[in-house]
């Protein structure tokens, strides 16, 4: 019996071992497979970038010797050379001299940081992964800029959070940031306007959500922020006495979500954008893929990483300047993106300096401007722990700060030097390696204590799974190495306690350590140096640049725990080395002051080409309108910007008798903008055109606006949908306050065909957004009997508005080359896969797609254009049978925001009708403060153009939003019900 049991146990054990071996083999094979796929992906991406770079430089082969020298000499931004660097401010006198140049300026700066909990005082740093160093950085940046000469106002825009699990202060709409009175902040040369935190409500009203869930609500923030900026610009213009709105000199986005928001706001306002990235998405994706723990699909589902990467690419398309903390961010993180290439950027900049053509290519400039630090709270170090013990042996810490007592209660011998780490319990902070290094080095344990300040916590089980896992591992290691009495890990600390913690470590002649695998910058290293603490830091990332400037410690390989232990032991044991590192840090720390940072920041921002909204209007006609009543601003305005009248039937010049029709103009015009401008200038000026300049546009008077944006496959389908919607809305007689806007990918001539098919007149609509947002038209009617044809007026201000970074003819040539390469793949040479559509639009290049199987998804088209530094929007329309390429600042949603700024329409009073799917710009039409009616059954075939996306539509479309209702069908009854559900009123 016992023998049989023994045999059975042996068989079960062998079976378990066999199963375990199979599992190990499968996991190993899967890991190798993932590594192979990743290697192939990286190699493919490298080949594509090199090929695109060669294509981009073919047109720029005329680089002169002078430009080549300029490129080599300008490596100071990215290399070790100091040639060309801006001199640092190291004294109050130098700052005062610089301030004299800016005192007379009145600058309005907008900063954006969306995720996390942001307030001016008592920041809850470490509360969660979203409330970390970035929160402190943006608040202190806003405070420091508010103190600078010439800066009139700084607004830090963030999310308003009124959730029960967060403090009530995060629900306050406005908070003034208290300005310091330190000497290095120079309050005597600053403006009194100061800095403010402006909280914009968007997303769930009563819930604090992580940044990964904010993406669907970005358009809602943009609309709210746009309203604030427009109103504040008018107020500041009145305060400064300029008589004109004081538009932001720059909109600065921090992180991917704020970067996309800043890009949309910059496009709507036509003002410069600045970008700062923290822990970039593509770099994080690369790290996670290398670890091999999760496939790409799971990573994307957890972190919404592809949505984040696309937001960062869009930010690169629009931004004038990228501010980084270190060169490592430029060379190893931003260089991973399709839209940025440091070598090509320097080449384009060299050509731009000499006014040499860049052939429609643009690249933002990357600048290294290390973050600053406030020094007003730092108390000079006096004495040390040994001295205190000798003089007050029986009363240690009687007058010490409470946080000192909280830390020292952990130690058996609190007078040993303290090794201090200040970081969240996040795997990338590498605290587990630090504890292992301390636990396995007997000499280090004998000479020093270890203090781990890992945020705030109440109960470990209530922490996030990632953070709690790290903390539990650390506690297990403390038990494993029997480090009780040698390691402190306090549960709570306030932000005001952090300087005291640094002082305690400095008094004990301790060392500050940052062992993170990669540290984007390392602000805590600067704070520690300011308190007299030498550092041991990772050799990956920002600490390299900090060490180069301060020379106050040692750099280590964060993966090598023995290297970490040796560096700590060296600094703790060698008192002369410790003193030399401390002195070096204190001597050079002024190079990281906030005035230094802001001086460089403002100089670079002012170097950007300044843009702002400008209208070609007759100011005398507008002088009688009330400044606070944008709805009345268009009454009796003679608007010279709307001087181009396109008549689809034709007008006769009374002198020459010639006829010019818009249909001929659309079909026969060339693509070159210069030729287009010449053709426009030859259009005959008739009496009806003169009347069009004086027409009273109704947009600003409308209380409600219906936007028809259904992307039907055929003109007949769009005509039916349009007719049904308008007839449903107009069934009530009182419709004078309701207007209509048609938003489509079609040209104005195709729109005219739809109007005729639906038996509508041009003036039945207040505006036409055509070519996927590439053009905006208004109806222009005449009462003269001899004029019977319909006519439209193009908004040339809008064309100027979106012209930023538009590649024009050079972009068109690149797309045609790409189209030719696709046509070469067609087996039957008589057939053409993609062909350019003749069009007169200077801001939209259209192509007819005959074989969709040969055309790559839109994400690949965008990638191709970005790699070649061509900034634009590529949009698949009409279920993928058409490709529209428009300026990067143009879109159908941005055109509506333009109308808000230009005509004062109320975005919250818009009702957008869209199908259940649509063109590849569909996602931007659904979100925002406007209301949306989704017509089920309409444009359902268009969903195929969304099948191969970087990220699913669910990551960007808001769910459970009261502003979005679904309509069962495109019937009058269902549409009427949907409008009633939205509270739509015809009053």
């Amino acid at each position: 019996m016992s023998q049989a049991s023994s045999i059975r146990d042996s068989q079960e054990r062998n079976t378990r071992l066999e199963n375990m071996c199979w599992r190990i083999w499968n996991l190993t094979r899967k890991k190798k497979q993932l590594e192979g796929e990743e290697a192939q992906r990286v190699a493919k991406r490298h080949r594509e970038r090199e090929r695109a770079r060669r294509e981009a430089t073919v047109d720029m082969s005329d680089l002169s010797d002078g430009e080549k020298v300029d490129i080599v000499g300008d490596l100071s931004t990215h290399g070790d050379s100091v040639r060309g660097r801006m001199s640092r401010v190291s004294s109050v006198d130098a700052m005062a001299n610089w301030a004299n140049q800016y005192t007379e300026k009145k600058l309005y700066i907008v900063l954006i940081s969306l995720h996390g909990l942001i307030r001016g005082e008592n920041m809850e740093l470490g509360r969660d992964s979203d409330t970390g160093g970035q929160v402190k950085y943006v608040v202190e940046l806003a405070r420091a800029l508010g103190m600078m000469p010439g800066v009139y106002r700084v607004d830090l825009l963030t999310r308003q959070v009124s959730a029960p699990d967060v403090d009530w202060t995060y629900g306050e709409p406005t908070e003034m940031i208290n300005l310091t009175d330190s000497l290095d902040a120079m309050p005597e040369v600053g403006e009194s306007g100061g800095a403010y935190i402006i909280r914009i409500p968007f997303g769930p009203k009563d819930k604090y959500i992580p940044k990964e869930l904010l993406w669907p609500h970005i358009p809602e923030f943009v609309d709210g922020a746009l309203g604030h900026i427009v109103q504040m610009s008018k107020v500041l213009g009145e305060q400064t006495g300029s008589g004109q709105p004081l538009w932001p000199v720059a909109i600065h986005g921090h992180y991917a979500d704020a970067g996309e928001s800043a890009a949309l706001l910059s496009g709507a306002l036509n003002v410069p954008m600045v970008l700062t990235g923290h822990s970039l998405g593509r770099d994080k994706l690369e790290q996670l893929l290398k670890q091999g723990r999760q496939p790409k699909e799971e990573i994307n589902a957890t972190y919404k990483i592809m949505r984040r990467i696309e937001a960062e690419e869009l930010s690169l398309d629009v931004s004038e300047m990228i501010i980084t903390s270190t060169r490592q961010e430029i060379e190893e993180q931003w260089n991973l993106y399709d839209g940025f290439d440091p070598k090509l950027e320097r080449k384009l900049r060299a050509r731009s300096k000499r006014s040499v053509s860049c052939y429609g290519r643009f690249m933002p400039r990357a600048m290294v401007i290390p973050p600053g630090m406030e020094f007003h709270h730092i108390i000079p170090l006096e004495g040390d722990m040994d001295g205190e013990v000798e003089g007050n042996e029986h009363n240690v810490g009687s007058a010490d700060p409470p946080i000192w007592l909280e830390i020292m209660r952990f130690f058996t011998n609190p007078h040993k030097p303290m090794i201090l780490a200040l970081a969240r319990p996040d795997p990338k902070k590498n605290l587990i390696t630090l504890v292992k290094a301390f636990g396995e080095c007997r000499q280090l344990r004998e000479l020093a204590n270890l203090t781990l300040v890992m945020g705030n916590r109440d109960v470990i089980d209530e922490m996030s799974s990632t953070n709690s896992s790290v903390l539990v591992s650390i506690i297990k290691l403390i038990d494993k190495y029997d480090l009780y009495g040698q390691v402190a890990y306090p549960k709570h600390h306030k932000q005001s306690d952090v300087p005291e913690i640094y002082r305690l470590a400095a008094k004990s002649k301790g060392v500050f350590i940052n062992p993170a695998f990669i540290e984007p910058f390392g602000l805590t290293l600067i704070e520690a140096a300011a308190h007299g603490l030498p550092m041991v830091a990772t050799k990956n990332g920002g600490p390299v640049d900090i060490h180069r400037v301060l020379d106050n410690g040692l750099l280590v390989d964060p993966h090598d725990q023995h290297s970490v232990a040796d560096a700590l032991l060296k600094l703790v044991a060698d008192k002369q080395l410790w003193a030399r590192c401390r002195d070096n840090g204190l001597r050079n720390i002024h190079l990281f002051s906030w005035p230094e940072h802001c001086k460089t920041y403002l100089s670079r921002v002012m170097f950007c080409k300044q843009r702002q909204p400008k209208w070609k209007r007759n100011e005398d006609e507008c002088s009688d309108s009330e400044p606070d009543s944008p709805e009345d601003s268009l009454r009796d305005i003679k608007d010279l910007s709307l001087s181009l009248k396109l008549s689809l039937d034709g007008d006769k010049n009374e002198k020459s008798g010639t006829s010019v029709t818009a249909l001929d103009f659309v079909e026969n015009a060339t693509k070159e903008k210069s030729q287009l401008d010449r053709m426009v200038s030859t259009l005959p000026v008739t009496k009806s055109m003169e009347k069009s300049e004086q027409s009273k546009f109704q947009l600003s008077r409308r209380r409600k606006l219906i936007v028809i944006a259904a992307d039907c496959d055929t003109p007949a389908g769009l005509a039916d949908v349009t007719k049904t919607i308008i007839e449903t809305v107009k069934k009530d007689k009182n419709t004078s306050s309701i207007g209509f806007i048609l938003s489509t990918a079609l040209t104005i001539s195709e729109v005219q065909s739809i109007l005729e098919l639906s038996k509508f007149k041009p003036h039945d609509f207040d505006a036409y957004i055509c070519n996927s947002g590439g053009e905006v038209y208004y109806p222009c009617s005449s009462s003269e009997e001899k004029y019977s044809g319909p006519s439209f007026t193009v908004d040339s201000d809008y064309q100027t508005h979106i012209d930023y970074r538009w590649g024009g003819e050079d972009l068109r040539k690149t797309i045609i080359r790409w189209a030719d390469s696709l046509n070469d793949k067609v087996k039957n040479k008589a057939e053409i896969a993609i062909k350019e559509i003749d069009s007169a639009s200077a801001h939209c290049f259209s192509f007819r797609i005959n074989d969709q199987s040969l055309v790559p998804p839109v994400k690949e088209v965008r990638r191709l254009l970005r790699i070649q530094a061509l900034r634009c929007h590529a949009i698949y329309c009409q279920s993928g049978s058409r490709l529209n390429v428009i300026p990067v600042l143009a879109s159908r949603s941005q055109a509506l925001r333009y109308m808000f700024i230009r005509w004062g329409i109320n975005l919250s009073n818009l009702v957008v009708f869209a199908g259940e799917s649509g063109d590849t710009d569909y996602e931007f039409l659904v979100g925002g403060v406007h209301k949306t009616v989704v017509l089920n059954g309409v444009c359902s075939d268009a969903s195929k153009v969304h099948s191969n996306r970087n990220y699913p539509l669910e990551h960007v479309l808001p769910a459970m939003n009261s502003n979005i209702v679904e309509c069962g069908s495109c019937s009058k009854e269902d549409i009427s019900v949907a409008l009633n559900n939205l509270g739509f009123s015809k009053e």
Side-chain angles (χ1 to χ4, degrees):
M1 199 63 185
S2 62
Q3 184 178 3
S5 176
S6 175
I7 293 174
R8 186 168 59 251
D9 292 343
S10 177
Q11 291 176 342
E12 291 177 354
R13 184 168 57 254
N14 290 338
T15 302
R16 287 197 301 270
L17 288 174
E18 184 178 352
N19 290 337
M20 186 178 297
C21 290
W22 274 107
R23 289 176 60 189
I24 294 173
W25 181 80
N26 281 324
L27 289 173
T28 304
R29 186 183 65 173
K30 185 177 180 181
K31 182 178 180 181
K32 289 183 178 180
Q33 180 182 356
L34 292 174
E35 290 175 349
E37 292 175 353
E38 173 64 12
Q40 292 177 1
R41 186 183 65 84
V42 172
K44 179 182 177 182
R45 184 170 181 274
H46 178 72
R47 290 194 301 270
E48 290 176 348
R49 291 196 65 171
E50 288 301 316
R51 182 172 63 251
R53 183 183 294 172
R54 287 194 299 270
E55 292 177 2
T57 54
V58 166
D59 291 335
M60 297 187 293
S61 58
D62 57 337
L63 186 67
S64 66
D65 293 337
E67 291 170 17
K68 294 176 182 178
V69 172
D70 197 37
I71 292 176
V72 175
D74 197 54
L75 291 176
S76 60
T77 304
H78 311 289
D80 292 333
S81 172
V82 296
R83 180 182 179 271
R85 285 187 183 177
M86 298 183 65
S87 59
R88 291 187 173 273
V89 175
S90 57
S91 68
V92 174
D93 292 338
M95 175 59 78
N97 293 334
W98 177 85
N100 291 332
Q101 306 173 21
Y102 286 82
T103 302
E104 300 302 323
K105 294 184 180 293
K106 303 293 182 182
L107 305 181
Y108 176 33
I109 300 174
V110 175
L111 310 178
I112 304 176
S113 181
L114 297 185
H115 62 264
L117 297 171
I118 297 179
R119 61 185 179 189
E121 304 295 335
N122 298 321
M123 289 174 277
E124 299 181 81
L125 302 183
R127 182 188 189 276
D128 53 67
S129 59
D130 291 346
T131 310
Q134 177 184 324
V135 169
K136 182 178 181 181
Y137 167 71
V138 294
V139 171
E140 292 189 353
L141 173 61
R143 177 183 286 117
L145 286 173
M147 297 295 297
M148 293 300 291
V151 176
Y152 193 81
R153 182 182 173 100
V154 179
D155 279 344
L156 170 56
L157 307 186
T158 187
R159 180 174 178 240
Q160 185 182 39
V161 182
S162 302
D165 56 337
V166 302
D167 193 78
W168 64 270
T169 55
Y170 300 112
E172 291 295 299
T174 304
E175 176 187 349
M176 184 173 183
I177 300 177
N178 294 327
L179 303 181
T180 64
D181 55 357
S182 59
L183 290 176
D184 63 337
M186 294 195 64
E188 66 275 11
V189 296
E191 290 285 353
S192 59
Y196 296 83
I197 297 175
I198 306 297
R199 299 185 178 92
I200 306 295
F202 70 99
K205 297 183 183 302
D206 57 350
K207 186 182 296 185
Y208 172 55
I209 58 177
K211 59 179 177 290
E212 290 80 11
L213 302 181
L214 285 177
W215 293 112
H217 310 288
I218 295 298
E220 186 180 357
F221 166 80
V222 172
D223 291 344
L226 187 62
H228 166 78
I229 294 174
V230 170
Q231 182 64 27
M232 184 55 60
S233 297
K234 294 178 181 178
V235 171
L236 296 180
E238 294 175 0
Q239 291 180 0
T240 57
S242 63
Q244 298 293 331
L246 182 63
W247 299 108
V249 68
I251 298 179
H252 187 166
H254 298 265
Y255 194 80
D257 47 15
E260 178 173 306
S261 303
L264 294 174
L265 288 169
S266 171
L269 292 164
N270 196 27
V271 298
M273 174 194 166
V274 179
L275 175 64
T276 295
H278 303 271
S279 183
L280 301 180
R282 196 173 287 279
D283 181 60
K284 183 173 183 176
L285 177 62
E286 297 281 343
Q287 294 180 38
L288 292 173
L289 290 175
K290 287 180 181 178
Q291 293 175 7
R293 298 177 182 176
Q294 293 177 293
K296 187 174 181 179
E297 293 74 16
E298 292 184 13
I299 294 172
N300 193 28
T302 302
Y303 300 102
K304 310 294 187 294
I305 200 75
M306 299 309 297
R307 178 65 183 89
R308 175 175 164 183
I309 290 173
E310 178 60 26
E312 289 164 338
E313 292 281 12
L314 177 61
S315 303
L316 287 171
D317 288 339
V318 179
S319 61
E320 296 266 3
M321 180 172 62
I322 308 170
I323 294 180
T324 69
S325 302
T326 65
R327 286 186 295 276
Q328 182 267 348
E329 289 182 56
I330 300 172
E331 297 165 355
E332 299 181 19
Q333 295 189 44
W334 283 115
N335 197 27
L336 297 173
Y337 285 80
D338 300 326
F340 184 77
D341 184 339
K343 295 180 180 178
L344 185 56
E345 183 270 326
R346 291 194 289 271
K347 187 171 187 177
L348 292 172
R349 181 152 41 92
R351 298 178 69 90
S352 180
K353 284 181 178 179
R354 287 166 170 75
S355 299
V356 179
S357 174
C358 293
Y359 297 95
R361 291 171 170 83
F362 303 90
M363 191 78 68
R365 184 176 184 181
M367 299 295 304
V368 179
I369 309 179
M373 179 184 167
E374 295 180 352
F375 297 122
H376 69 279
H377 59 274
I378 297 178
I379 301 175
L381 182 64
E382 297 178 2
D384 52 44
M385 293 293 289
D386 296 334
E388 283 193 359
V389 172
E390 292 175 5
N392 197 13
E393 192 174 48
H394 301 291
N395 194 23
V396 176
S398 59
D400 291 338
I403 191 64
W404 287 21
L405 303 178
E406 175 65 19
I407 292 174
M408 289 192 291
R409 69 182 178 88
F410 284 87
F411 299 135
T412 303
N413 181 4
H415 307 299
K416 292 194 295 184
M418 178 192 297
I419 298 170
L420 173 62
L422 190 68
R424 300 189 312 272
D426 190 290
K428 64 185 179 183
K429 297 300 182 181
N430 199 29
L431 296 178
I432 292 177
T433 298
L434 171 61
V435 177
K436 287 181 179 179
F438 183 77
E440 295 182 7
C441 183
R442 182 180 58 83
Q443 288 179 292
L444 189 59
R445 295 200 311 271
E446 291 176 352
L447 288 176
N449 293 321
L450 176 63
T451 297
L452 304 173
V453 181
M454 299 177 288
N456 290 281
R457 65 184 184 277
D458 291 318
V459 181
I460 294 179
D461 292 339
E462 296 178 356
M463 301 172 64
S464 67
S465 58
T466 303
N467 291 354
S468 63
S469 175
V470 172
L471 184 57
V472 169
S473 298
I474 289 174
I475 293 175
K476 288 181 178 180
L477 288 174
I478 292 173
D479 185 75
K480 175 183 177 180
Y481 296 115
D482 193 18
L483 300 178
Y484 298 105
Q486 295 176 293
V487 179
Y489 44 100
K491 295 180 65 172
H492 297 282
H493 73 280
K494 297 180 293 186
Q495 181 62 26
S496 58
D497 291 332
V498 174
E500 300 295 345
I501 297 173
Y502 287 130
R503 286 186 60 231
L504 176 60
K507 271 184 169 291
S508 68
K509 296 188 182 299
V511 177
F512 183 82
I513 180 168
N514 183 337
F517 291 117
I518 295 179
E519 180 59 56
F521 179 62
L523 189 60
T524 53
L525 297 173
I526 297 176
E527 293 176 341
H531 288 83
L533 272 174
M535 74 172 187
V536 172
T538 175
K539 67 177 184 179
N540 299 326
V544 176
D545 295 292
I546 294 175
H547 180 264
R548 183 181 294 114
V549 175
L550 297 182
D551 189 22
N552 69 325
L554 303 172
L555 300 177
V556 296
D557 180 359
H559 299 278
D560 185 355
Q561 70 182 54
H562 297 292
S563 173
V564 173
D566 291 343
L568 290 170
L569 182 61
K570 188 174 182 179
L571 277 172
V572 170
D574 189 340
K575 297 301 181 182
Q576 291 184 349
L577 176 62
W578 184 92
R580 186 165 65 250
C581 289
R582 178 199 61 185
D583 294 341
N584 288 345
L586 293 174
R587 183 184 308 111
N588 299 319
I589 195 63
H590 70 273
L591 298 176
F592 291 99
S593 67
W594 273 118
E596 165 73 9
H597 175 93
C598 291
K599 187 274 297 184
T600 307
Y601 176 94
L602 291 174
S603 298
R604 295 303 185 185
V605 166
M606 296 302 296
F607 187 75
C608 296
K609 183 179 179 181
Q610 292 302 307
R611 299 177 283 120
Q612 64 182 26
K614 291 183 179 179
W615 323 126
K616 302 172 186 175
R617 63 173 54 177
N618 189 329
E619 297 298 339
D620 295 334
E621 296 284 345
C622 306
S623 59
D624 295 332
S625 60
E626 292 294 329
D628 294 332
S629 180
E631 294 184 356
D632 298 331
S633 62
L634 291 181
R635 295 177 181 175
D636 301 322
I637 293 178
K638 179 181 179 181
D639 196 325
L640 299 179
S641 69
L642 306 176
S643 58
L644 173 58
K645 169 177 169 291
L646 300 181
S647 172
L648 293 176
D649 285 352
D651 286 324
K652 290 187 176 181
N653 188 308
E654 295 177 354
K655 294 183 179 180
S656 64
T658 59
S659 176
V660 179
T661 66
L663 188 58
D664 295 334
F665 182 76
V666 170
E667 292 180 351
N668 300 324
T670 64
K671 299 298 181 295
E672 295 194 22
K673 186 175 183 301
S674 59
Q675 295 181 11
L676 173 64
D677 293 338
R678 287 196 296 270
M679 293 186 69
V680 170
S681 65
T682 61
L683 284 176
V685 179
T686 64
K687 294 181 180 180
S688 61
M689 181 177 292
E690 293 173 359
K691 289 191 175 184
S692 73
E693 296 175 358
Q694 301 176 359
S695 61
K696 299 179 181 179
F697 294 96
Q698 300 298 321
L699 276 173
S700 62
R701 299 182 181 181
R702 302 298 193 186
R703 294 186 179 180
K704 301 286 185 180
L705 280 168
I706 303 295
V707 181
I708 302 175
D711 301 320
C712 299
D713 298 341
T714 62
L718 180 57
D720 291 340
V721 171
T722 302
K723 186 174 182 179
T724 302
I725 294 173
I726 293 179
E727 288 180 352
T728 303
V729 175
K730 283 189 172 183
K731 66 182 179 180
D732 200 351
K733 294 181 179 180
N734 185 19
T735 58
S736 59
S737 63
I738 302 176
F740 296 91
I741 298 175
L742 184 60
S743 178
T744 177
L746 304 177
T747 64
I748 191 63
S749 60
E750 292 169 322
V751 167
Q752 169 64 16
S753 300
I754 292 176
L755 295 180
E756 294 175 350
L757 191 63
S758 306
K759 297 182 179 180
F760 286 117
K761 298 179 180 179
H763 61 261
D764 287 333
F765 291 85
D766 292 312
Y768 299 87
I769 300 173
C770 300
N771 294 320
S772 299
E775 289 182 321
V776 172
Y777 294 88
Y778 306 100
C780 180
S781 59
S782 175
S783 60
E784 295 185 13
E785 295 182 359
K786 63 179 180 180
Y787 177 78
S788 59
S791 58
F792 301 90
T793 303
V794 67
D795 191 337
S796 59
D797 272 335
Y798 180 72
Q799 293 180 326
T800 304
H801 201 79
I802 63 175
D803 202 49
Y804 172 72
R805 289 195 171 176
W806 177 236
E809 180 66 13
D810 297 300
L811 170 63
R812 173 179 167 270
K813 290 178 180 178
T814 301
I815 301 175
I816 289 177
R817 285 199 301 265
W818 167 75
D820 291 340
S821 68
L822 295 179
N823 291 328
D824 291 340
K825 298 178 182 179
V826 180
K827 294 181 180 179
N828 186 356
K829 298 303 180 182
E831 298 179 357
I832 298 178
I834 179 171
K835 180 181 179 182
E836 185 179 15
I837 301 174
D838 290 336
S839 171
S841 174
H843 291 87
C844 179
F845 302 138
S846 297
F847 295 81
R848 176 65 61 190
I849 299 174
N850 300 317
D851 189 348
Q852 297 183 32
S853 64
L854 294 177
V855 178
V858 69
K859 64 179 182 181
E860 295 298 329
V861 180
R862 292 171 180 169
R863 186 164 179 265
L864 166 72
L865 296 170
R866 281 169 174 160
I867 289 177
Q868 298 200 39
L870 295 166
R871 310 299 178 176
C872 56
H873 282 315
I875 303 169
Y876 280 152
C877 317
Q878 298 177 345
S879 299
S881 63
R882 185 171 185 161
L883 171 66
N884 280 353
V885 181
I886 60 177
V888 69
L889 297 189
S891 71
R892 289 189 286 173
S893 58
Q894 288 291 82
L896 293 174
R897 294 187 177 109
Y898 164 84
M899 291 180 184
F900 162 71
I901 301 171
R902 181 71 170 97
W903 305 120
I905 68 173
N906 191 335
L907 293 176
S908 62
N909 288 340
L910 295 180
V911 179
V912 176
F913 280 84
E916 65 178 67
S917 186
D919 301 345
T920 51
D921 63 346
Y922 174 80
E923 63 193 71
F924 300 105
L925 292 170
V926 178
V929 299
H930 65 259
K931 312 211 171 28
T932 304
V933 176
V934 178
L935 301 171
N936 289 334
V938 176
C939 315
S940 56
D941 293 339
S943 59
K944 60 186 178 182
V945 300
H946 299 277
S947 59
N948 192 357
R949 299 170 53 94
N950 280 327
Y951 50 88
L953 276 175
E954 292 74 20
H955 289 182
V956 290
L957 296 181
M960 303 299 291
N961 191 324
S962 60
N963 284 340
I964 302 175
V965 298
E966 293 190 7
C967 190
S969 66
C970 190
S971 65
K972 295 181 181 179
E973 294 76 13
D974 287 343
I975 291 174
S976 181
V977 171
L979 290 173
N980 289 332
N981 291 337
L982 287 173
F984 184 78
S985 173
K986 303 180 182 65
E987 44 180 62

